[in-house]
Amino acid sequence: AFSAVGGLGVVVHLAVLAVAFKGFGEGFVAAQILATVVAMTFNYVVNNSLTYRDRRLRGWRFVTGWLSFSLACSVGAFANVGIAAYLFDRQTFWVLSALSGVLVGAVWNYAVTSVYTWRQQS
């Protein structure tokens, strides 16, 4: 389920990136950062509702869960934007640059958030 949500998150990421970068003429790095934050938030909300519904976070825990998820994903997000920017600067097509960054970030995000954000409560 986490992978399916991640796949939808990639679609969200690319849609936001396309609108910001191509539609509004925002710089690639700024658009990649925006797309990363929007996709990260989308993934958190959907994973909280579906993937981890048995450990669903509600109320204040929903907010603190989003903060912990964002913090846990920040290393992956940093790698995502860094790799995408590096490839884009070297004339790689913007979609391939973005997808390369997303792939690297996704590996980290899955490993950390599945344990950290939705850990079993004792």
Side-chain angles (χ1 to χ4, degrees):
F2 194 92
S3 296
V5 172
L8 289 173
V10 171
V11 172
V12 169
H13 182 103
L14 291 176
V16 171
L17 178 63
V19 168
F21 180 57
K22 291 296 189 179
F24 291 126
E26 190 64 51
F28 178 79
V29 172
Q32 181 74 359
I33 291 168
L34 175 65
T36 299
V37 171
V38 171
M40 189 179 348
T41 301
F42 170 84
N43 286 356
Y44 170 73
V45 170
V46 176
N47 275 315
N48 189 61
S49 297
L50 300 177
T51 308
Y52 298 105
R53 68 183 162 271
D54 61 323
R55 295 178 257 171
R56 187 174 296 147
L57 304 174
R58 293 184 167 92
W60 184 247
R61 290 191 56 224
F62 178 85
V63 174
T64 59
W66 177 76
L67 291 171
S68 77
F69 183 84
S70 297
L71 182 62
C73 291
S74 65
V75 172
F78 184 76
N80 169 346
V81 173
I83 287 168
Y86 175 84
L87 292 172
F88 183 77
D89 286 346
R90 276 140 193 86
Q91 308 306 311
T92 303
F93 182 55
W94 65 274
V95 172
L96 293 178
S97 298
L99 287 174
S100 298
V102 167
L103 180 62
V104 170
V107 171
W108 170 267
N109 294 347
Y110 174 74
V112 173
T113 62
S114 63
V115 173
Y116 182 64
T117 301
W118 288 282
R119 65 188 174 275
Q120 289 286 356
Q121 301 298 317
S122 346

